[in-house]
Structure formats: C-alpha cells, structure tokens
Amino acid sequence: MALLKVLHVITLSELGGAQKVVYHIVAGLPAEQFEVTVACAPGGELVNWLKVLPQGIHVVEIPEMKRNISPLNDFKALWKLYSLMKKEAFHIVHCHSSKAGILGRLAAWLAGVPKIYFTVHGWGINEYQSRPVRFFYKWAERLAGAVSTKVVCVSESDLAKGRSLRLAADGKFCVIYNGLPESQKREGILRGELDIKGEDIIIGTVARLAPQKAPLFLLELARRMITRPDRGPGEGQLYFVLIGDGPLRSECEEFIAGSGLNGRVFLLGAREEAAELIRDFDIFVLFSRWEGLPLTIIEAMQAGCPVVANAVGGVGELVVHQKTGCLINELDLKAAEKALRDLISSRDKRLSMGELGRQRAENLFSINEMRKKYIELYLCIRLGNNAIIRIIYW
C-alpha cells in the first residue's frame, strides 16, 4: 500500500503553541501509513525537534515565511510552496497559523492538492486591529476558506467566531481540542535556580512578550501586589516569573527596574523546559487579549496549578471558574488582584483547584485523543448523508 503524503505548513518555527501542536501531530502519525513533510521558516526549535524524530520527517525551510505582511516575501513564499506541492503531489496539505494558512491553502488549491486542511490556532482577526486591516484579513480568510476541505478550530469559541464572520461554509468547520503529553513530574528546579523558598508564593506565566499576551498588565499587577503585600502572619514572600521572549522584552525590563521589582519579578526568556518549570508555580496566570486554546494553560492544569486568566477565546473551555481557577474579563486589574489574593490566602483552595484542573486536562485534553481525531480526519471523508468512507491509497 502506498503511503499517504502529508505536508504541514506553518509560518514560523520558533517556540510556540502552534508549533508544539504541529510537532505532536506529526510525531504521532504512523510511519507505515504516512510520509510527512513540514514547511516553515528556518532556524527555530520546531526544525530541531522534527529532525530527530525516528520517522524521518522531511523539513523544507522557507526563509520568506515571515509573520508580518511583506508582498515580495509573501509572493516568493507562495511560489515556493506551490512548486513544492506540484513537485511532490501531496495527498493532503495541512496549514497552521494565519500567514501560512492563507498562503498554504492558496498554493495547495493552485497545485491541485486533493485535501486542504487548516487548523485555526486563534483567528488572526480581532478588535485591536484597524477596520481596514480587519477587512483585509476577513476577505483573505474567506478566500482561503472557500478552497479548504475542512477548517479545524481548537475551541468552540473559534468555531462560533468563524461561522459568525462567514470565514468558510458551515459544513467545513469542526472542532479538535489541543492535547499534550504530561511533562516529567520533577519539582524544585525553578525554586533552586532562583533561590526561592518552599513557603514563598510563585505566580507565573509562560507567554510571548508581545501585545497579545499583555505582559505589562501582569507587571502592573505584580507592582501593586508586591508594594502592597497584604500578607497574613507567617506567609512567605511573593514572586512573579515570566517565561518567554518577544518584542516587548525591553519595555518589561524597564518597567521592572523602574518599579523597584528586581529580585521579585524574573524574566527568564524562552525555555524549552517551561512545562517542567511550571510545576514550581503556585498559581499560573495568562492575561491575553485574544486566544485560541492556549497550550500553556493545559500545561499548567497538568501540573496541578490553579489558573487565573482573562476569559477570551477558548480559555473558558479550559478553566472552570471557581473550580479549577478564576476568570476575569477585559483585563480588570482589581478583579485579577482579588482572584490572586484569594488563592494566596488559601493553600487548600489552591491544591483543590489544581487537582480538579489536573483531572480535567487528563480527561479532555489528552494527546492521544487529539492525534486520533487528526488521523481520522486524514483517512476519512464525510458525505452528505453522514456516511464515512475510508480513503485507501494503493
């Protein structure tokens, strides 16, 4: 039996949630059924991860694949993707992230690829953009949606948004939740590195230091809570840890220095072992302005961390308010501070919420379930009468 040839296309290869999903999907595809290629920008962690997989994944690095719009680079990337698809005659092209989602799907359509899939890791259309930008992205998504076989949303929230904006025909949408393997259950690494005592409280996040993730909101929250401790007798010190890098790093460093927070707030940069470091957090926070289904929250839940987060995108499908954590709205500083102080004051509440979150992650966001659903998507098509036909390439 001939192998099913699959091409995954993602814009960047840097450390990020969409890149982890691509890696875990690809790593779980049986070598006896699939021949897999991944096309992406060069030089990032994803490229390194893929090259050591035992399946022998083909990696095609395209320097012109960049996050920001660049007509010349975008045209070159489109041409390279089209040429690759035409030459290799893939049975399936599966795109991830906004830029690759547009260019990759159009290239696949031009090359005559039979099955064209797109996983939405949060729509690249939001209220923080100008009206002309939103208009452009909306029509670009509609064009790409018209040539898609299926549009996979990682949350019900993204599915509802895609349908409300008419970014593809209703029947093309489906939901497959992200899933992750459990990280090693080692603790104490972060506290040892930063010389933080066991009785001290660590509030931490893993996020790109970019406007979407609102790191300066978290730093202002840290400033308020550290300068006004409001601790009970016998409680330890309060520390904040931000794992991640990005364009706002210098502004974050200036804020920390200017607010006298050095030694109490730590910027650790991007860390591949972030999921392991989370196990030393007492509380995990994520105050994004928009989201798909953030993997970092799943990692925090697996680690038994209660979560305080902004209720955007699929975050409310991960965190159950007042059971596995607390949700706030519209980046409300007072609400965020209250939620954190309530958790700081009660170790029992932290442990209870963390354990319920761990069970929820295990039941709903497992890597095996995610891989199973993507393999089913690759091997099956659904007809109008809901019958399923399994595709076999001889």
Side-chain angles (χ1 to χ4, degrees):
M1 185 175 70
L3 297 176
L4 197 63
K5 297 184 68 174
V6 180
L7 171 66
H8 281 261
V9 185
I10 186 166
T11 309
L12 302 180
S13 57
E14 65 182 22
L15 189 62
Q19 287 77 10
K20 287 182 181 179
V21 170
V22 170
Y23 171 80
H24 288 307
I25 293 172
V26 167
L29 295 177
E32 65 273 14
Q33 288 180 284
F34 299 94
E35 179 184 321
V36 182
T37 301
V38 176
C40 59
E45 290 85 352
L46 177 61
V47 173
N48 298 328
W49 300 340
L50 293 170
K51 287 183 176 179
V52 298
L53 283 175
Q55 298 97 312
I57 305 300
H58 307 289
V59 178
V60 178
E61 298 178 69
I62 301 177
E64 293 81 6
M65 290 285 279
K66 301 180 184 296
R67 176 181 279 113
N68 295 327
I69 293 175
S70 168
L72 180 58
N73 281 323
D74 293 345
F75 178 78
K76 288 181 178 178
L78 177 67
W79 176 255
K80 287 187 176 182
L81 288 170
Y82 165 78
S83 301
L84 173 66
M85 295 171 191
K86 198 70 176 174
K87 176 184 176 183
E88 296 295 333
F90 295 103
H91 302 113
I92 294 169
V93 166
H94 187 168
C95 302
H96 306 258
S97 69
S98 297
K99 174 68 74 71
I102 302 297
L103 298 180
R105 282 183 285 173
L106 293 180
W109 176 72
L110 291 170
V113 176
K115 298 293 173 186
I116 305 171
Y117 299 125
F118 174 52
T119 294
V120 183
H121 300 277
W123 293 105
I125 305 168
N126 59 74
E127 65 271 21
Y128 296 96
Q129 297 163 333
S130 66
R131 184 173 294 180
V133 169
R134 289 200 306 271
F135 179 84
F136 172 78
Y137 283 146
K138 180 172 70 175
W139 283 99
E141 286 288 357
R142 285 180 178 177
L143 176 61
V147 304
S148 301
T149 307
K150 280 287 184 183
V151 175
V152 180
C153 299
V154 297
S155 69
E156 295 288 346
S157 173
D158 276 345
L159 183 144
K161 183 174 182 177
R163 282 180 169 164
S164 69
L165 295 175
R166 303 192 306 279
L167 302 181
D170 275 1
K172 291 185 176 182
F173 287 105
C174 66
V175 172
I176 299 178
Y177 279 134
N178 291 334
L180 286 174
E182 286 200 41
S183 65
Q184 299 176 22
K185 294 179 170 59
R186 292 197 296 165
E187 298 178 0
I189 298 172
L190 182 63
R191 288 181 184 271
E193 178 181 328
L194 302 179
D195 193 24
I196 295 176
K197 298 175 183 177
E199 66 270 21
D200 293 333
I201 297 292
I202 298 178
I203 296 173
T205 191
V206 180
R208 190 164 180 265
L209 302 182
Q212 177 196 355
K213 305 294 184 177
L216 291 167
F217 172 87
L218 174 56
L219 292 179
E220 173 59 24
L221 181 60
R223 186 193 64 78
R224 289 165 61 117
M225 296 186 71
I226 289 171
T227 55
R228 294 188 285 111
D230 193 25
R231 295 194 309 275
E235 290 184 6
Q237 292 276 21
L238 181 60
Y239 294 90
F240 285 77
V241 173
L242 289 79
I243 300 174
D245 216 332
L248 294 181
R249 174 149 192 162
S250 60
E251 289 184 48
C252 292
E253 290 171 339
E254 290 172 9
F255 185 99
I256 292 169
S259 303
L261 299 176
N262 286 313
R264 301 292 295 280
V265 178
F266 299 93
L267 299 180
L268 300 189
R271 300 282 289 266
E272 285 196 40
E273 77 279 27
E276 195 171 331
L277 300 180
I278 287 173
R279 295 190 175 277
D280 277 357
F281 291 0
D282 294 284
I283 304 168
F284 182 89
V285 294
L286 189 68
F287 298 116
S288 304
R289 290 187 165 92
W290 67 90
E291 275 293 355
L293 194 83
L295 294 186
T296 54
I297 288 183
I298 298 177
E299 289 171 339
M301 292 166 67
Q302 289 177 337
C305 261
V307 177
V308 177
N310 198 27
V312 292
V315 172
E317 296 166 49
L318 293 170
V319 181
V320 182
H321 185 56
Q322 296 298 345
K323 290 188 177 179
T324 69
C326 301
L327 298 173
I328 67 164
N329 294 296
E330 298 179 354
L331 295 180
D332 185 332
L333 266 174
K334 289 184 179 179
E337 183 175 0
K338 181 180 185 305
L340 289 175
R341 291 199 186 279
D342 286 348
L343 286 171
I344 289 169
S345 67
S346 175
R347 183 175 184 272
D348 288 343
K349 181 183 282 190
R350 296 198 304 272
L351 294 176
S352 172
M353 284 185 167
E355 176 57 23
L356 287 174
R358 189 196 62 76
Q359 294 174 12
R360 182 172 174 80
E362 182 179 330
N363 293 335
L364 297 180
F365 308 107
S366 76
I367 191 168
N368 290 334
E369 186 66 15
M370 180 188 76
R371 285 172 172 169
K372 174 187 170 186
K373 289 185 176 179
Y374 275 113
I375 289 172
E376 288 175 352
L377 183 70
Y378 291 168
L379 297 180
C380 303
I381 60 171
R382 187 173 295 275
L383 303 181
N385 61 359
N386 289 329
I388 294 178
I389 294 180
R390 186 164 296 277
I391 305 172
I392 301 178
Y393 287 88
W394 296 94

